Amino acid sequence: MNIKRIILYFISLVLLFIFSVLFVINFTLFSEDLGPGEITGTSNSIEFVEDKFDRQSDAKNDLNVSLSKQILFGDLHVHSTFSADAHQGNLPIVGGTGVHPVADACDFARHCSALDFWAITDHAEASTPKRWQETKETVRKCNALSADKENPDCVAFLGWEWTQVGATRNTHWGHHNVILKDEADDLLPPRAIASKSVARDALLNNAPEYPNSLFPLIDIKNFKNYNDFRRYISETKKVPICPENIPSKELPLDCHEEAVTPLSLANKVEEYTKDYLIIPHGQTWGFYTPKAYTLDKGLELSKQYPQQFDLLEMHSGHGNSEEYRSWRAATVVREGETILDRFFGLQDGRADLTSGTFKDKEGRIFDIGTQTCPKATDEFTPICARAGEVIFNRCINAGFETAECDVRRKYTEQAVVDRGRNGWQVVPHFSLLDRIDSGQCKDCFSPAFNYVPGGSAQYGMALTKFNEDGSKHRFKYGFISSSDNHQAAPGSGYKELFGNNIDFSGPSSKFTDKLLHGPTFDLQDRDYVDPIRANYVSDDKPIEYETSDIKLGFNTIEFERQRGFLQTGGLAAVHTEGRSKEQIWSAFKRHETYATSGPRILLWFDMLNGNKKIPMGAVTEQNTNPTFEVKAMGSFEQKAGCPEDAYTALGANRVEQLCYDECYNPSDVRKTITRIEVVRVMPQEYENQSVEDRIQDPWLVHNCPENQVGCEFNFTDNEFASSKIDMSYYVRAIEEPSMQINTKGVRCERDDEGNCISVNICTQDWRRPRDVEACSEIDEPRAWSSPIYVDYK
């Protein structure tokens, strides 16, 4: 009898404990506000800054470069756990390392990566006026650490990410970072202005009661992390959406402001300041970009706000968006209408994908266009074509007739291409091996996941919009790279390692993986039924579901495969007269910038015009053949560990926690530049001219002398004057090969017949845990100059 009582007592205690935990989590009792954190470090020493300058001066002397300007390195794309995906992605149950507040970014930029400048760009879609105010205060504190404002050790810029995601190519504008020069409240918006798009729902729909309420029970030692995350989501959702069609300055302070297009975003920012940049990024990143998206409508809109394309982030820790390819993951049959004055998600009504129309809840009908699935080629395999092949083979193996299997294949191909980002879910249990390297650019350097070439930098350079008055409009942007790091780690590409340097590790066990990607339940949407699970029949039949029935969230996209494309990230470089914020900003505005894939390669690219040099990023006119000068110097080989300055400024415990005891720590030995490649782009000369033949990559290649650290050469375009057309030129400086994490994406091992028999992909989870050696391959780091735009006149 006593044993039964003990058992009942024990069961009661367990149930009481579970109920208490669920009660606390549901009502976020004992939780804490995330907050911006505390800056713990000091500024770098004068000697530390002078050493940077002296090292660069030595390189300039070796290459006979004028000493008038210096090169500074920074990162204009950094997230803290004020961003919803960063907060969730850093929860321990998904393999994360905990909270990384804004203040961490200040300490990391100064002492882990030793940057000269950086910007905070948390997602506005999950921001609140309170978090924005705390971000502003933290950036001010970070800059205040530099005693000498004319020669600061590190400069911090305020900003946010406008994370626009269109449901279709007609409503898609992509992600843009807003960077602000000023810090004074009267020159700053009182809110980070978000996109009116599917992004807010996608970011905030990832915390359903089930399975999230189980996390603290499974991982009780990290109970506080999950409780605080629930509070974070709750606080975000409490902020009401601002009224529409009211000037930004007339809106109530405590609301969530949204902009439909980059133009409306620019108009809102201009109510407060003229000193801003709107920098597009990830335009080829198929993680969220519609498959047939192109930059064409963005060019049309940019006529009204040239600030949008002052600079282009053409590379980041999410891959490279430089190179154009003629293949597509979807073939457009009917383009559909460009929608400028409103946004809708496919969950806001009903899409008829066969006719290419969308009917919203008010009965309005929009033309969203139609598309078909392209055939696979040796160069590219569309995921729709691969999906059809998998279903066909499964159908044949199940004993069905070829005619029936062919019907299933054709349905699958069309269903996948019509359903866009979540089309891969048409195929039941579509494994990594099933998907092989479909959707990927096989011959690009460090390609972005599910590559969308219509968003590439080269495609944008080749475009021309012809105005009725005979004038022409083109993108004439400067290039930068950045990290897009989500762990408050600016400049995370200084060494090839994990730690805080690469985002989003995955679940460490098969059990937690199944829990995270299994069925969900939310009290606020208790009638929701997952159409993928509900319409499953068998593995040899495609799942017939409507995209409009899908609840948005990270489960709808290929996050598992995406992790195999996440890298340490790149850098933005500027040629500037000095280190002050004003001087750095001036370099941004004149486009005297370049991008690197991570290493601090020194690069100079100028057009020679008599005794005058026209620098990279410039726009010029002439009718004679232009001559150019290129000079490059490799980055320093890195020593293990951190320099003494980092320990002095942060203390040993903070260096271990923040930098993982690995910092930017240059030796005295520079790596070699093996070659310099010149890319020439000839913009379109008439409406709808094919761009494929307008991009010459590479146009010239200069192989650098062996055993020589620096490299330089001059070249002349002897065809310019006779061609009588505009030309654009930029260069790539290629550094000696070294081990690089995830720059190859998905690698197929093929048999003698060319069939992919296994895939090598670093998913960073229980299947393929983080390991630098296993996740790395030999690749060639590089730097890209901003183009020089030479118009014929």
Side-chain angles (χ1 to χ4, degrees), residues 241 277 325 376 423 452 468 501 506 545 564 600 677 698 711 741 765:
I241 304 296
L277 296 166
R325 297 292 182 269
V452 181
E468 292 181 1
N501 300 60
Y545 68 91
R600 293 174 205 198
E677 299 174 345
C711 185
I741 297 175
D765 58 11

Side-chain angles (χ1 to χ4, degrees), residues 624-645:
T624 56
N625 292 333
T627 296
F628 301 89
E629 176 185 77
V630 190
K631 299 188 178 188
M633 183 75 77
S635 65
F636 285 111
E637 292 183 5
Q638 291 295 302
K639 297 185 292 185
C642 296
E644 190 58 37
D645 274 71

Side-chain angles (χ1 to χ4, degrees), residues 256-531:
H256 180 79
E257 188 173 1
E258 296 179 329
V260 177
T261 68
L263 176 58
S264 58
L265 172 66
N267 288 337
K268 286 175 176 289
V269 175
E270 290 220 356
E271 291 186 42
Y272 301 92
T273 181
K274 300 291 185 183
D275 287 324
Y276 70 96
L277 296 166
I278 298 179
I279 306 174
H281 67 268
Q283 302 285 301
T284 67
W285 189 26
F287 185 59
Y288 69 89
T289 305
K291 291 178 171 59
Y293 169 76
T294 71
L295 292 170
D296 292 71
K297 64 188 178 75
L299 178 59
E300 180 66 34
L301 203 64
S302 75
K303 286 192 269 187
Q304 302 174 63
Y305 58 105
Q307 292 92 337
Q308 190 219 355
F309 274 100
D310 249 333
L311 299 176
L312 174 70
E313 183 188 303
M314 43 76 73
H315 172 275
S316 76
H318 294 164
N320 186 18
S321 295
E322 173 203 9
E323 299 171 71
Y324 177 71
R325 297 292 182 269
S326 59
W327 44 255
R328 296 288 188 273
T331 299
V332 174
V333 177
R334 192 180 73 249
E335 188 62 54
E337 61 182 306
T338 297
I339 301 164
L340 299 175
D341 58 346
R342 60 173 52 87
F343 179 84
F344 56 81
L346 297 184
Q347 289 70 30
D348 299 324
R350 209 70 187 168
D352 183 338
L353 299 176
T354 302
S355 66
T357 58
F358 176 78
K359 186 176 183 179
D360 69 14
K361 293 176 181 178
E362 298 175 9
R364 292 171 296 192
I365 296 176
F366 300 91
D367 183 359
I368 59 174
T370 57
Q371 54 279 316
T372 58
C373 181
K375 299 295 183 184
T377 65
D378 291 340
E379 291 76 30
F380 179 70
T381 302
I383 194 168
C384 55
R386 178 58 184 170
E389 182 182 2
V390 168
I391 285 292
F392 179 84
N393 291 336
R394 289 180 184 178
C395 178
I396 292 293
N397 292 336
F400 292 94
E401 295 292 331
T402 301
E404 167 62 19
C405 296
D406 221 25
V407 170
R408 294 186 190 182
R409 169 166 52 190
K410 290 175 181 177
Y411 174 85
T412 300
E413 290 176 347
Q414 192 62 45
V416 171
V417 79
D418 279 342
R419 282 155 182 77
R421 286 177 289 269
N422 66 294
W424 64 284
Q425 293 180 306
V426 167
V427 180
H429 306 115
F430 201 15
S431 70
L432 291 173
L433 181 56
D434 286 334
R435 283 173 271 175
I436 58 171
D437 55 5
S438 62
Q440 314 314 321
C441 184
K442 301 174 188 179
D443 62 345
C444 294
F445 168 75
S446 186
F449 173 63
N450 278 352
Y451 203 76
V452 181
S456 65
Q458 291 179 346
Y459 182 80
M461 289 176 65
L463 287 182
T464 302
K465 288 297 176 186
F466 299 89
N467 303 320
E468 292 181 1
D469 62 1
S471 62
K472 303 171 185 177
H473 177 68
R474 297 181 180 129
F475 292 132
K476 293 186 176 179
Y477 36 62
F479 287 166
I480 64 166
S481 179
S482 284
S483 70
D484 200 355
N485 182 277
H486 282 63
Q487 297 174 100
S492 49
Y494 57 87
K495 286 178 180 174
E496 291 299 303
L497 47 88
F498 286 103
N500 288 332
N501 300 60
I502 291 184
D503 288 337
F504 301 126
S505 59
S508 59
S509 73
K510 190 173 183 179
F511 169 73
T512 53
D513 196 4
K514 283 184 174 292
L515 190 67
L516 287 163
H517 297 96
T520 63
F521 174 77
D522 201 321
L523 287 172
Q524 295 179 351
D525 194 10
R526 64 188 69 189
D527 295 328
Y528 175 74
V529 176
D530 182 355

Side-chain angles (χ1 to χ4, degrees), residues 578-642:
R579 300 183 60 87
S580 73
K581 177 179 269 194
E582 287 282 349
Q583 290 166 318
I584 294 170
W585 189 263
S586 177
F588 293 158
K589 297 303 289 185
R590 65 177 183 266
H591 307 176
E592 203 168 343
T593 63
Y594 66 91
T596 93
S597 61
R600 293 174 205 198
I601 297 168
L602 303 179
L603 178 62
W604 296 265
F605 176 48
D606 300 290
M607 192 175 96
L608 305 179
N609 189 358
N611 294 325
K612 182 182 176 183
K613 289 186 178 182
I614 299 173
M616 63 174 75
V619 178
T620 187
E621 295 179 339
Q622 66 181 56
N623 56 21
T624 56
N625 292 333
T627 296
F628 301 89
E629 176 185 77
V630 190
K631 299 188 178 188
M633 183 75 77
S635 65
F636 285 111
E637 292 183 5
Q638 291 295 302
K639 297 185 292 185
C642 296

Side-chain angles (χ1 to χ4, degrees), residues 36-37 39 102-103 133-143:
I39 299 169
V102 180
Q133 186 61 36
E134 290 172 335
T135 299
K136 291 190 289 185
E137 291 168 358
T138 304
V139 166
R140 290 170 187 144
K141 289 177 183 177
C142 188
N143 284 328

